[in-house]
Amino acid sequence: MAAVPPPISGTPPRVSTVHGTVRGTLERGVAVFRGIPYAAAPVGARRFRAPEPPEPWEGVRDAVAFGPTAPKRPYNPPLNRLLPDPDVPGDGCLNLNVWTPDPARTGLPVLVWIHGGSLLHGSSAVPLYDGTAFARDGVVLVSVNYRLGMEGFGVFPDAPANRGLLDQIAALTWVRENIAAFGGDPDRVTVCGESAGAISIGALLAVPRARGLFRRAVLQSGAPTALPLGPAARRTTELVAKRLGVAATAGALAAVDPAALLAAQTEVTAGGSPLTGGNSFQIVVDGDLLPRDPLEALLDGAADDVDLLMGSNSEEYRLWFVPSGLTERLSAFRLRLALLKFRVPGATTRTYRANRPGATPGELLGALATDLLLRVPLNRVADARARARGRTHLYEFGWPSPVLRLGACHALEIGFVFDTLEKPDAVALTGADAPQELADAMHAAWVAFAASGDPGWPGWDASRPVMGFGPGKPAVVRAPRDEELHGWAPYRTKS
């Protein structure tokens, strides 16, 4: 674990970056810099294009407030009450924030946070992502914004795909070039993300252009996945363009007012979720930036020198199913249709049902979907890395929130990782009495992983160790719920 530096004090800190000098603030003993541009504003001729370097500035630039967030709309009800999503107006959304123990230090580990939000929502300004605790414990925390929705992930014949992913690479390049001036070690960078942020990282692990930009990676509740560049990948873009009455090209959409584009995008993507499907924006295998499916690449040994920490929450599905009433509303008939659609073997369904006596059809579908989309692919990646040069560690978060019967739902672990349980947006998910000792343990594990690649429990091997962060003291479980895992291809032949 990184040595904890003493708090700094005195005048507001200044740091010289390659583009100019920034002045931050001192908050609770750490130096904080907000809203630093890592790329030029993606507007005008730069809209729907790859990110370009920011214009250098003269003098000292104040970096005391969060910069503009990417164009987006709030989460639809009822999730908007559980997932606050600050909106900061302005064009220069390609910015980042830095929390550091002391810019005068050298060689500190660095953690770069990529937020989630289904590639439609979220920003680095979410209070839950406050990096003070990481800086307090000797880690430089960087959080980034990137383009979302049509601006970042619309698929066009006349513009580069995966622009939001290109933004993330530009931010990591900025970190590589500048983080030493903030006390960080550019050779000890860990990239960390949740949900769509973790899916982004799964893709970055397979992107040749991202090689060397990070040494370690944390995937929270997101598995490597991408769509082939075909009709399915273009569908949402084409539906939005049709609703606006324009061609599905970057040239045509660049002339559309951003507010009108957001409104059409919201209408087209309404009603779905990461588990139930629907129109959405996805990372695509474009043959250029991302040459192949990221899961296949990782199974074939890509990024085998990168240390990985991966995991999910025991009841991810409850964030979407419980507030919407789907846990009670889904009928047995609809369950059967869903199982047929996803080709779930009957024996697998019977195993899950036997392990969950009294579960409603909605709860059973949620458990199956959580494992199909998260636990199975993450286990496959871990198995494929048995002899990798980089270490692999898995976790499962299982503490159940009492709020709205959300249980161990999607996104619940973030306040524990950041040690920000006191923030109102953490309390919205956890309630007022979340266990601080669990946050202490989980946050310490992430700090240790960023510092050394060892979060404090055995690496992946044939015994399949998983650290369980749940009620009571965290503990390693070997091959948890293995009989359920064996119900899925390609594990069925291994039972």
Side-chain angles (χ1 to χ4, degrees):
M1 188 169 177
V4 178
I8 58 174
S9 60
T11 59
R14 295 188 183 189
V15 168
S16 295
T17 75
V18 296
H19 301 111
T21 301
V22 292
R23 177 170 48 223
T25 62
L26 292 175
E27 300 175 13
R28 292 182 286 173
V30 304
V32 186
F33 302 81
R34 295 183 175 92
I36 304 174
Y38 67 82
V43 296
R46 296 189 177 100
R47 195 177 180 193
F48 300 117
R49 300 298 173 188
E52 299 177 12
E55 290 292 329
W57 58 87
E58 299 291 335
V60 179
R61 181 187 184 115
D62 278 330
V64 298
F66 287 113
T69 52
K72 57 188 172 65
R73 287 283 185 87
Y75 288 93
N76 291 325
L79 288 186
N80 61 330
R81 297 193 298 272
L82 297 171
L83 301 174
D85 195 5
D87 183 55
V88 181
D91 292 332
C93 66
L94 301 185
N95 59 74
L96 51 75
N97 318 296
V98 181
W99 285 260
T100 176
D102 187 347
R105 300 266 303 212
T106 59
L108 295 172
V110 181
L111 189 74
V112 178
W113 175 252
I114 299 178
H115 69 80
S118 301
L119 303 180
L120 280 169
H121 307 284
S123 76
S124 65
V126 173
L128 200 63
Y129 308 153
D130 186 289
T132 299
F134 277 103
R136 175 199 69 201
D137 294 331
V139 176
V140 179
L141 190 286
V142 181
S143 60
V144 307
N145 287 335
Y146 56 95
R147 281 174 284 182
L148 304 168
M150 188 72 85
E151 305 277 356
F153 296 94
V155 179
F156 309 111
D158 56 338
N162 299 315
R163 293 172 300 282
L165 209 60
L166 286 167
D167 295 343
Q168 295 167 17
I169 293 171
L172 287 166
T173 301
W174 184 96
V175 169
R176 181 78 186 172
E177 295 173 347
N178 291 282
I179 207 62
F182 294 83
D185 183 347
D187 291 322
R188 278 209 294 171
V189 172
T190 298
V191 62
C192 177
E194 184 267 347
S195 193
I199 293 171
S200 297
I201 293 169
L204 291 174
L205 288 164
V207 169
R209 202 181 305 179
R211 294 286 296 166
L213 294 179
F214 53 90
R215 181 174 175 181
R216 303 183 176 103
V218 183
L219 280 67
Q220 297 172 213
S221 301
T225 186
L227 286 177
L229 188 58
R234 292 190 292 267
R235 175 176 170 78
T236 301
T237 301
E238 291 171 349
L239 288 173
V240 173
K242 182 179 179 180
R243 187 169 290 265
L244 290 166
V246 301
T249 65
L253 283 160
V256 174
D257 178 72
L261 179 58
L262 273 179
Q265 171 182 292
T266 300
E267 292 167 358
V268 167
T269 57
S273 80
L275 292 186
T276 59
N279 298 319
S280 62
F281 291 98
Q282 305 286 338
I283 293 169
V284 298
V285 181
D286 60 358
D288 179 22
L289 180 71
L290 185 59
R292 61 181 304 201
D293 179 87
L295 178 59
E296 293 178 0
L298 289 173
L299 295 178
D300 284 346
D304 82 332
D305 59 336
V306 176
D307 297 327
L308 291 189
L309 172 59
M310 307 181 293
S312 59
N313 298 353
S314 301
E315 299 173 301
E316 298 272 359
Y317 71 94
R318 297 185 75 85
L319 180 65
W320 299 282
F321 283 25
V322 173
S324 67
L326 191 59
T327 46
E328 285 76 29
R329 193 174 69 247
L330 188 79
S331 67
F333 175 70
R334 292 291 182 184
L335 171 62
R336 287 194 295 272
L337 291 180
L339 297 179
L340 288 172
K341 177 182 177 181
F342 291 107
R343 300 179 182 179
V344 180
T348 303
T349 303
R350 289 190 292 273
T351 299
Y352 276 72
R353 183 176 282 118
N355 288 345
R356 294 162 180 79
T360 66
E363 289 170 333
L364 188 60
L365 176 62
L368 287 159
T370 292
D371 283 4
L372 175 63
L373 297 177
L374 289 171
R375 196 162 69 95
V376 171
L378 293 179
N379 271 260
R380 290 184 67 195
V381 171
D383 289 343
R385 289 171 51 90
R387 285 181 284 276
R389 288 174 289 166
R391 289 168 286 191
T392 305
H393 294 83
L394 261 64
Y395 76 89
E396 181 170 329
F397 181 84
W399 180 79
S401 171
V403 176
L404 298 175
R405 300 182 297 108
L406 288 172
C409 70
H410 190 70
L412 184 64
E413 88 290 353
I414 299 174
F416 293 84
V417 168
F418 276 82
D419 192 12
T420 50
L421 294 180
E422 80 285 356
K423 301 289 185 181
D425 47 339
V427 176
L429 280 177
T430 68
D433 298 317
Q436 180 60 45
E437 62 272 16
L438 183 58
D440 294 342
M442 205 166 187
H443 174 73
W446 265 239
V447 168
F449 182 77
S452 68
D454 181 359
W457 63 88
W460 195 254
D461 59 22
S463 70
R464 310 172 71 79
V466 177
M467 173 58 80
F469 292 102
K473 186 177 180 180
V476 171
V477 180
R478 306 281 175 172
R481 304 195 310 281
D482 226 25
E483 78 284 2
E484 294 181 353
L485 192 66
H486 287 169
W488 302 97
Y491 288 106
R492 286 202 296 274
T493 59
K494 299 181 181 182
S495 57

